[in-house]
Amino acid sequence: MKKDFRVQYPLWQMAFIVLLGLILFSVDGATTEFIHNEDELRFGTQFPPLESVLLYGSIFLTFLLITIFSLKLSKHNKQHPDQKLSMWQIRPIEYLEQDEGMTYITRRASQKVYTFFVWALPFMAVIYILFEVPRFWMIFGILFLAWMQYLIYYVEVRRQLKEEDE
Amino acid sequence: MLHNRVKELRARFGFSQGQLGERVGVTRQTIGFIEKGDFSPSITLALKLAREFEMKVDELFWLEGEKTS
């Protein structure tokens, strides 16, 4: 059960969020040049060496992860033809709803995530209102909340399944 | 809190959690949650379990302090 794709799905999302954060960091470090005069109209972006490596490395890793993710998803769908999942479905993939016990675990984990957001969102909003937070850090904060959401969900589901195994 | 005899009866009938789960249409984990008392099953599942153990629901499940048998 712990190796079920739906149980591990939050880890995938966490990895994608980290990669998105690295892409964000790289793009933030870029310098842009906009020249508009009688002779020319030019727009250019330059990345320092570290940011350049991070950007291309992160994009490469993102595509690699998407490929592996797709393969895992199709493997899951082959093994569970009655519980097929799609990358584009509206209901979160991580929901375990095979039966009422699994729905109970999902509810417990979702409640923890909801509690986290009830406190984290107003707190972050206050920080953003009180301080002049650069755009990079604002987006980074949102990514951090998203990352935490999946961490809380994953830890709770794992804890429930582990307790049951003992 | 809801108490039950699922674990005891499952052992008596010689079922594993997985086998019992299969018979009543739930996962092994759900049977485990019920046995631990963490989770109160639906009436439907309670009836199915009682049917498997050939007894009434209130002989299988009871509220704290209300066990009569």
Side-chain angles (χ1 to χ4, degrees):
Chain A
M1 190 72 204
K2 286 176 197 163
K3 289 185 179 172
D4 188 298
F5 184 71
R6 283 160 297 191
V7 174
Q8 293 183 341
Y9 177 77
L11 295 177
W12 286 92
Q13 284 297 341
M14 287 162 74
F16 282 123
I17 290 168
V18 168
L19 288 173
L20 197 59
L22 288 174
I23 292 171
L24 172 73
F25 176 78
S26 316
V27 171
D28 188 63
T31 50
T32 52
E33 183 184 49
F34 183 64
I35 296 169
H36 184 201
N37 56 36
E38 287 178 1
D39 300 326
E40 61 178 335
L41 171 64
R42 189 155 55 89
F43 181 81
T45 307
Q46 281 189 328
F47 293 93
L50 173 68
E51 278 81 350
S52 186
V53 169
L54 272 179
L55 179 69
Y56 292 115
S58 305
I59 290 172
F60 170 75
L61 277 176
T62 302
F63 279 109
L64 183 69
L65 275 189
I66 287 173
T67 308
I68 300 170
F69 178 84
S70 306
L71 291 172
K72 287 252 181 194
L73 193 67
S74 51
K75 188 182 169 192
H76 169 90
N77 286 341
K78 274 182 193 162
Q79 287 174 342
H80 304 89
D82 53 333
Q83 295 166 25
K84 280 191 176 177
L85 302 170
S86 161
M87 221 187 278
W88 312 111
Q89 68 183 51
I90 294 173
R91 280 188 81 75
I93 286 180
E94 64 269 30
Y95 281 4
L96 299 165
E97 295 177 312
Q98 301 95 309
D99 63 29
E100 53 191 81
M102 294 296 109
T103 306
Y104 161 78
I105 293 184
T106 301
R107 197 188 75 214
R108 289 279 298 261
S110 302
Q111 280 175 336
K112 288 214 166 174
V113 171
Y114 182 82
T115 307
F116 168 70
F117 274 121
V118 160
W119 290 98
L121 283 178
F123 178 76
M124 201 165 79
V126 168
I127 299 278
Y128 288 175
I129 290 166
L130 291 180
F131 304 101
E132 268 191 35
V133 182
R135 194 173 61 169
F136 166 78
W137 287 106
M138 284 183 126
I139 301 172
F140 187 82
I142 294 168
L143 288 180
F144 176 72
L145 292 192
W147 193 85
M148 283 299 293
Q149 161 199 334
Y150 286 111
L151 178 69
I152 292 167
Y153 189 93
Y154 177 74
V155 168
E156 178 60 19
V157 167
R158 280 293 301 236
R159 193 178 67 81
Q160 294 282 339
L161 291 174
K162 194 178 170 198
E163 278 180 9
E164 198 288 305
D165 277 346
E166 282 164 359
Chain B
M1 189 179 169
L2 193 68
H3 293 269
N4 68 77
R5 294 171 60 201
V6 173
K7 191 173 185 176
E8 171 206 330
L9 289 160
R10 179 173 64 75
R12 194 185 297 173
F13 278 70
F15 296 143
S16 66
Q17 287 183 335
Q19 285 167 335
L20 179 60
E22 218 167 275
R23 293 175 83 99
V24 296
V26 297
T27 55
R28 178 187 69 75
Q29 286 79 10
T30 296
I31 299 296
F33 292 141
I34 295 169
E35 288 181 356
K36 276 170 61 188
D38 284 349
F39 164 68
S40 301
S42 65
I43 294 171
T44 310
L45 182 52
L47 284 166
K48 285 181 181 175
L49 287 167
R51 191 178 59 196
E52 282 302 321
F53 295 133
E54 298 157 4
M55 58 175 52
K56 291 179 182 170
V57 174
D58 61 355
E59 291 171 328
L60 185 58
F61 294 95
W62 68 94
L63 292 169
E64 196 162 8
E66 285 189 8
K67 192 176 182 189
T68 51
S69 56

